[in-house]
Amino acid sequence: MSTKTNAEIAAAFDELGDLYELDGAVSYRVIAYRTAAKAVRDASVSVMALTRDGRVTELPGIGKTLEEKLHALDETGDIPAAQKLRAKFPAGLIAVMHLPGFGPKRARLLYDELQVDSLEKLREAAEAGQIRTLRGFGAKVEENLLRVLADHDEGGSPAPRILLSRALPVAEQIAGALRDHPAADRVEIAGSLRRLGDTAKDIDIIATASDPAALIDRLRELELVESVHASGDAGARVVTHSGMKVDLKVVAPDQFGNVLQHFTGGKAHNVQLREWAVRRGLHISEYGVLDDETGETTRCATEEGVYERLGLPWIAPELREGRGELEAALKGELPRLVELSDIRGDLHCHTTLSDGRQTAEQMAEAALARGYEYLAITDHSASHGFGDHVTAEALEQRIEEIAALNASLDAIQLLAGTEVNILPDGSLDYPDELLARLDWVIASVHTSFGMDEATMTDRMIRAIEHPYVDAIGHPTGRKIETRPPYAIDMTRVIAAAARTGTMIEINAAPDRRDMNEIHARAAAAAGVKVLIDSDAHSARNFELLRYGIATARRAWLTPEQVANTRPWPEFAALRKRSKGAQ
DNA sequence: GCCGTTTTCGGCCCGACTGTTTTCAGTCG
């Protein structure tokens, strides 16, 4: 039997949490399973490997009982308690429980009283007017339910998430417009947008103003606003023409810090922060910090003030995911996170030779304008498969062109490179003699995504072991909105990269951000030098590096752990080909 | 079910909203 992935284990714990909830278990037990599921999902190493090593209880939220369940999952592929409860509750009941406005209590009552065990049965009961007869239910619930079920039928996606690169520029534009208003004092973006996650649900803005009504009016009148859904003394909710919800809250200056902290989240971070505070006799909310001893609530004008009141240093929003940041803050071990200004070169971009829009010279000039010290030109290789392939002969000619360009450009080092395809068997589609003549080789998978995990992982590791492969590009192949990652064991990939001195890229293209923050954190911890690359297909695309930086920061990466923060001579020596030569 | 700068037992985040209620339960973020 194959080893369960962290995602599969997390799903098993979530399912068991749902089943226990239906079974009426004390809520804290249910919460414990959900917490454990998150800890597993966020773990940067294989949880099953930890289990076999007897070290899994080192993960926060995993104790003796869950350790036993992990052993069962490993040995039998299932958890006995889950099997028992699945026999007790039909699967359709869990779907009922997850409907908006419904939960375990309501689902259970419907099951016990009306034998509702599926969405179809639920609809029948609602249409027959049976639901309003139940205690705690009424006509309103029944009406809302029928509406929810109708949405469900139309494949109604509940509040689609928006890619960060679409939401953030809009949020920044709105925040900028508000800041420019004379009534504005402080204006900040909050929510998952401020934490720079892959996607956001909506745009949250927190502000203070000398004249709140005037600032709220300013928002309502912005050209990009399509409609106003709610508006009052304390804020407004509007929707943009592009369909994004925008929430503006105007608050008193002396509690701006509390509100910004509260609405920045994330959920797990805030829960942990509040639990931690309770143990010290403090209670945190968006309104302030209440001290049990004095009965007084402290309001904070700044976010720093909130953390300081708790005896903690300010924590960067990108770290606020409940992944150990409180413990690190307490010990004074928060990382100095990598910043855009630390980056000295880009090791992955395309030109008109393959599918890019600008020439190598234009790309070099754009990189120079960004202050880069080096740039690798990495067009697609011989079998790219989309009509943009670069033959071996063309690449040989390109090497000469780059040499000539380098002679004419003093301030930047150009690298003659390639983004070479990793073929299904793990071999590369240029001869070794040609790869040896290049300054830089990044290898990526662009075809045959459907193979099984072991085969795909072996394929990738064969490329990693190739002496002329300096780095692996977008290692899981995911496209956030359109394509899941192919099956690959990143634990093995990272181990192979660490062993061979192969770098792994964080591809900054905002629909990729691949590797993701979990893998990037694991890679750095394993000693892999991480790259942050734009994969630019035009000079303008260099701007997208900020999204790679965001992923790196969410992965807790320091400049030291990112290879392309180094000056050129140091970076040059870090390449596998340089090490091999010495 | 987890966990300990009070605790190995007895706690376990905070507030808003909705719809049902006549003081609250359930759900949500």
Side-chain angles (χ1 to χ4, degrees):
Chain A
M1 171 161 310
S2 70
T3 299
K4 295 268 186 220
T5 65
N6 288 0
E8 287 166 342
I9 295 166
F13 282 169
D14 273 331
E15 185 205 12
L16 192 47
D18 284 348
L19 289 165
Y20 273 135
E21 197 168 33
L22 277 174
D23 202 33
V26 284
S27 58
Y28 298 112
R29 184 149 110 191
V30 176
I31 291 167
Y33 277 95
R34 306 245 158 93
T35 306
K38 179 180 153 47
V40 169
R41 204 170 273 122
D42 288 351
S44 56
V45 293
S46 160
V47 170
M48 216 33 109
L50 276 185
T51 304
R52 289 171 190 164
D53 285 352
R55 293 175 45 211
V56 77
T57 55
E58 289 173 18
L59 284 178
I62 310 271
K64 278 266 172 249
T65 305
L66 267 70
E67 182 180 34
E68 279 173 30
K69 298 209 180 331
L70 282 166
H71 280 300
L73 203 52
D74 192 21
E75 284 151 24
T76 70
D78 205 350
I79 301 172
Q83 287 175 309
K84 210 179 291 177
L85 288 168
R86 267 186 232 119
K88 192 168 171 185
F89 301 112
L93 200 51
I94 290 186
V96 172
M97 180 177 102
H98 286 316
L99 283 176
F102 283 70
K105 299 278 169 56
R106 286 181 165 176
R108 187 60 196 274
L109 193 69
L110 288 161
Y111 182 54
D112 290 344
E113 298 294 323
L114 300 175
Q115 291 76 51
V116 165
D117 59 3
S118 66
L119 295 180
E120 294 76 61
K121 284 265 183 63
L122 183 63
R123 184 202 315 278
E124 287 167 21
E127 284 170 348
Q130 290 179 305
I131 290 182
R132 63 182 69 196
T133 66
L134 296 178
R135 178 183 179 76
F137 290 74
K140 275 269 175 59
V141 172
E142 212 170 66
E143 286 166 30
N144 289 341
L145 171 61
L146 285 168
R147 203 175 319 130
V148 164
L149 286 172
D151 285 352
H152 199 271
D153 287 347
E154 291 165 22
S157 44
R161 296 192 65 90
I162 310 158
L163 203 63
L164 183 66
S165 58
R166 266 194 291 133
L168 192 57
V170 174
E172 285 170 342
Q173 190 186 339
I174 294 171
L178 294 178
R179 280 188 196 112
D180 287 344
H181 193 277
D185 180 14
R186 299 212 55 185
V187 178
E188 293 292 339
I189 296 166
S192 57
L193 224 43
R194 181 161 179 242
R195 305 198 309 279
L196 304 178
D198 292 336
T199 58
K201 190 164 64 34
D202 49 22
I203 296 173
D204 281 316
I205 296 177
I206 315 292
T208 63
S210 57
D211 182 352
L215 192 66
I216 291 163
D217 282 345
R218 174 77 181 117
L219 172 70
R220 298 169 50 127
E221 290 157 8
L222 287 177
E223 197 177 7
L224 51 70
V225 169
E226 181 191 78
S227 56
V228 178
H229 285 220
S231 188
D233 300 341
R237 161 162 281 210
V238 303
V239 175
T240 67
H241 290 289
S242 50
M244 292 180 211
K245 294 196 196 84
V246 183
D247 243 326
L248 169 66
K249 291 183 179 62
V250 185
V251 304
D254 70 345
Q255 63 170 353
F256 178 77
N258 303 101
V259 178
L260 182 62
Q261 196 287 322
H262 178 86
F263 284 101
T264 296
K267 184 176 157 77
H269 174 82
N270 280 0
V271 168
Q272 289 179 13
L273 196 68
R274 290 183 209 126
E275 285 174 344
W276 189 81
V278 164
R279 276 178 245 133
R280 283 150 190 83
L282 300 170
H283 303 272
I284 308 169
S285 79
E286 62 188 284
Y287 302 108
V289 181
L290 169 68
D291 189 329
D292 277 338
E293 209 166 310
T294 64
E296 279 177 23
T297 298
T298 316
R299 293 171 147 211
C300 304
T302 67
E303 221 178 28
E304 285 81 355
V306 178
Y307 286 98
E308 192 185 334
R309 181 71 187 78
L310 303 167
L312 294 170
W314 182 80
I315 298 172
E318 295 94 322
L319 298 184
R320 299 184 200 169
E321 297 292 344
R323 294 174 182 157
E325 66 274 13
L326 287 186
E327 293 81 349
L330 204 57
K331 291 189 211 152
E333 292 174 358
L334 287 172
R336 193 300 230 171
L337 297 176
V338 65
E339 295 169 14
L340 191 55
S341 59
D342 292 320
I343 297 298
R344 296 176 187 248
D346 198 326
L347 285 305
H348 186 167
C349 76
H350 298 270
T351 74
T352 48
L353 191 62
S354 65
D355 57 350
R357 290 199 207 114
Q358 262 96 41
T359 64
E361 186 171 10
Q362 288 170 320
M363 294 301 273
E365 280 165 4
L368 201 50
R370 288 177 65 85
Y372 287 163
E373 296 173 23
Y374 44 100
L375 174 71
I377 305 292
T378 55
D379 279 300
H380 287 290
S381 59
S383 68
H384 181 231
F386 303 101
D388 302 315
H389 51 265
V390 177
T391 63
E393 294 71 30
L395 185 58
E396 281 176 24
Q397 193 182 331
R398 174 44 71 92
I399 294 173
E400 307 302 323
E401 290 167 16
I402 298 290
L405 262 179
N406 254 331
S408 69
L409 293 167
D410 281 345
I412 188 163
Q413 181 72 35
L414 285 188
L415 281 68
T418 178
E419 181 184 11
V420 68
N421 274 356
I422 302 173
L423 299 173
D425 68 353
S427 66
L428 309 175
D429 62 356
Y430 284 130
D432 284 359
E433 307 81 66
L434 181 53
L435 294 174
R437 290 182 52 209
L438 294 166
D439 302 313
W440 175 254
V441 172
I442 187 160
S444 309
V445 165
H446 289 111
T447 55
S448 304
F449 291 169
M451 36 179 64
D452 66 75
E453 182 181 295
T455 311
M456 182 62 92
T457 307
D458 290 343
R459 172 187 184 182
M460 183 69 79
I461 289 176
R462 190 175 163 203
I464 286 172
E465 288 174 341
H466 193 290
Y468 297 125
V469 169
D470 296 296
I472 296 296
H474 47 70
T476 78
R478 74 161 177 175
K479 291 278 188 81
I480 291 167
E481 292 182 305
T482 54
R483 189 169 76 201
Y486 36 71
I488 188 161
D489 181 349
M490 282 299 288
T491 302
R492 282 181 60 207
V493 167
I494 287 166
R499 172 166 53 78
T500 56
T502 310
M503 301 179 196
I504 305 180
E505 161 186 277
I506 293 173
N507 189 298
D511 62 337
R512 288 190 184 270
R513 295 177 73 175
D514 179 15
M515 24 183 194
N516 68 23
E517 60 217 37
I518 303 292
H519 294 145
R521 193 173 175 184
V528 174
K529 288 288 179 266
V530 175
L531 284 168
I532 308 175
D533 288 333
S534 68
D535 195 358
H537 283 65
S538 72
R540 272 187 58 190
N541 281 170
F542 283 133
E543 294 291 336
L544 300 178
L545 203 78
R546 67 183 297 199
Y547 299 106
I549 298 287
T551 290
R553 290 171 64 86
R554 290 173 60 81
W556 294 49
L557 298 195
T558 65
E560 169 64 23
Q561 293 170 317
V562 176
N564 50 327
T565 59
R566 288 168 172 65
W568 166 244
E570 278 180 45
F571 182 86
L574 212 54
R575 291 171 303 162
K576 208 200 280 179
R577 63 190 56 232
S578 306
K579 290 179 180 169
Q582 282 161 5

